[in-house]
Amino acid sequence: MTSTLISGISELWTLDPALDDPAHSGVADGQVRRDAALVIEDGRVAWTGPAAEAPSADTAEDLGGRAVLPGWVDSHSHLIFDGDRAAEFEARMAGQSYSAGGISVTTGATRSATDEHLRALVRGRIAEAVRGGTTCLETKTGYGLTVAEELRAAELASALVAAGELDEVTFLGAHLVPREYEGRAEDYVDLVTGEMLSVVAPHVRWIDVFCEEGAFDPAQSACVLRAGAVAGLGLRVHGHQLGRSGGVALAAELGAASVDHVNHLAPADVEALAATAARPTAPGTDPDRLAVDAGPTVATVLPACDLSTRAPLAPARELLDAGATVAIASNCNPGTSYTSSMSFCVTTAVLQMHLSLAEAVRAATRGGALALRRTDVGHLGVGARADLHVLDASAAIHLAYRPGMPLTHEVWRAGVRLT
Ligand code: NIG
């Protein structure tokens, strides 16, 4: 067993779950330590405390008075694609509105990519995310939309999980009805819930559906989610991005781990999500994971997507005030949010969604971890995976105070320094 002592930490955001206090939507007493140190043993946090009381270790690093956060947990991305949609973006900035149809452009480009090229693209995007402080990353299929192409995407992603480069994979065959099924949406739902699900399920932990006008209606979405649950997958929903699609009620009713976007919410939607916050989680078979089918439906807001589509910002403040559990994610994809910068999302959540810095950091770490039903990431309590985001600043508030500045100094994943 090897140990590393990290000292010179001006602010250590452990966000230790053992110190949680439901009265705080940001951080509770003791979850941020000043003048702290941390010891890593075999890739896990073994000790945290005052620098003056730090034990010795095999190796040591002095951070020179920098703030340390848990690495970002990005619980929503679509990294498996080829091509970009810069022209669509430019047209949107000139006044056109976003519609689900653009997904078919990326589907065409992705189907044409060789395995090697696609894998290199995905690995490049993961590396970009890591350089921005992300250490736990979910990604989705959904730009293949045939049995063979969805399987190819799922296999590619699950191989990256096995290699320790990615963390979670979601099956999103129900992203859009592909052109070859135009006018035959029910047949496509049959394919997704039948042959496609059975070949993809062994490679993924989650199933998702784009429940929105132009994609899948609530009845079709329910069908997809129920089939996924029968196959043992956890549920995720894209909902209320373009309008009140019914995805929020569906996610809450079916016990989805997360409903993402949530831009258009009526008071009843906010209440429905808040009501799920009391649902207890349950242990999973793996000690680092919770059961996928118990616990709150996390409201995952996607600030970069809201800006890139000029959508009304998701009401994160209102959701937190109502008692809902909120996560922040990047939604990195070529159509609506071509960035994996979680720091940008956190900054936006503070400056424009009116979250405190503590609330935004928590949503981008612990919130994401809960949305993925993970206990080993999103915090730096003893036993956590040693995923460290070292800032080039003495205090985390600089993330919002110095928007857009390159504040990521070092990134560690499972006790290994990656940048
Ligand atoms: O989460 N909304 C659905 N899926 C993606 C966008 C996909 C695309 O337009 O290519 C999203 O925003």
Side-chain angles (χ1 to χ4, degrees):
M1 187 180 296
T2 56
S3 59
T4 305
L5 169 64
I6 312 240
S7 61
I9 304 176
S10 52
E11 269 184 11
L12 177 60
W13 289 59
T14 69
L15 300 179
D16 187 347
L19 302 176
D20 272 351
D21 175 350
H24 294 83
S25 51
V27 297
D29 289 349
Q31 289 184 321
V32 179
R33 292 175 172 276
R34 320 265 159 212
D35 299 322
L38 173 147
V39 175
I40 300 171
E41 269 176 18
D42 284 347
R44 299 265 173 172
V45 176
W47 180 91
T48 63
E53 296 170 18
S56 59
D58 302 326
T59 58
E61 175 162 356
D62 185 341
L63 294 177
R66 292 186 165 86
V68 174
L69 303 174
W72 302 130
V73 178
D74 188 351
S75 58
H76 183 140
S77 82
H78 307 250
L79 302 183
I80 310 167
F81 65 87
D82 194 5
D84 73 36
R85 309 226 302 270
E88 177 189 314
F89 174 78
E90 203 166 1
R92 198 156 63 236
M93 294 305 106
Q96 280 193 14
S97 51
Y98 172 76
S99 80
I103 294 167
S104 63
V105 174
T106 302
T107 300
T110 306
R111 287 176 179 174
S112 306
T114 64
D115 293 355
E116 296 69 30
H117 183 56
L118 204 50
R119 184 177 149 83
L121 288 171
V122 176
R123 293 191 75 217
R125 291 175 189 131
I126 293 170
E128 268 185 347
V130 168
R131 285 198 294 276
T134 297
T135 52
C136 178
L137 187 53
E138 177 266 12
T139 206
K140 303 176 201 299
T141 71
Y143 290 119
L145 311 183
T146 64
V147 173
E149 288 291 325
E150 287 295 302
L151 175 62
R152 176 168 84 133
E155 285 180 333
L156 188 166
S158 66
L160 292 171
V161 172
E165 296 183 44
L166 262 180
D167 294 272
E168 299 280 335
V169 188
T170 300
F171 169 44
L172 183 57
H175 201 185
L176 186 77
V177 177
R179 283 187 176 138
E180 55 275 20
Y181 277 83
E182 210 171 305
R184 295 188 297 128
E186 299 302 331
D187 291 347
Y188 185 64
V189 170
D190 286 348
L191 180 72
V192 169
T193 57
E195 187 188 352
M196 200 184 274
L197 175 62
S198 61
V199 302
V200 171
H203 305 283
V204 303
R205 186 167 175 236
W206 304 99
I207 188 165
D208 198 341
V209 59
F210 188 11
C211 179
E212 203 73 55
E213 193 172 330
F216 297 88
D217 67 25
Q220 293 163 339
S221 300
C223 191
V224 169
L225 294 171
R226 289 204 168 97
V230 168
L233 305 181
L235 311 183
R236 323 187 70 74
V237 178
H238 282 64
H240 295 222
Q241 176 182 6
L242 308 177
R244 288 196 61 217
S245 62
V248 164
L250 190 62
E253 182 196 327
L254 297 184
S258 182
V259 56
D260 304 30
H261 286 284
V262 294
N263 297 87
H264 298 271
L265 297 186
D269 301 316
V270 174
E271 279 161 31
L273 288 169
T276 71
R279 290 181 184 163
T281 57
T285 44
D286 173 334
D288 290 335
R289 289 171 171 79
L290 297 166
V292 290
D293 57 355
T297 298
V298 174
T300 301
V301 301
L302 309 168
C305 175
D306 299 352
L307 296 181
S308 288
T309 55
R310 295 203 168 138
L313 293 171
R317 175 78 271 146
E318 196 183 335
L319 284 159
L320 281 176
D321 289 345
T325 309
V326 171
I328 292 173
S330 76
N331 188 21
C332 182
N333 78 81
T336 62
S337 185
Y338 201 178
T339 175
S340 58
S341 174
M342 288 290 283
S343 295
F344 174 77
C345 295
V346 165
T347 303
T348 304
V350 175
L351 298 182
Q352 302 206 272
M353 290 175 159
H354 301 274
L355 267 56
S356 69
L357 190 269
E359 288 169 332
V361 167
R362 186 185 179 90
T365 53
R366 293 282 303 283
L370 187 57
L372 295 173
R373 301 295 194 248
R374 298 278 297 234
T375 56
D376 57 334
V377 295
H379 67 97
L380 294 171
V382 169
R385 198 167 81 184
D387 290 2
L388 275 56
H389 182 193
V390 181
L391 298 184
D392 218 350
S394 59
I397 190 65
H398 283 231
L399 285 167
Y401 173 47
R402 308 190 66 217
M405 300 306 288
L407 294 183
T408 298
H409 180 70
E410 286 176 18
V411 181
W412 296 59
R413 188 179 192 275
V416 176
R417 188 177 157 178
L418 301 178
T419 66

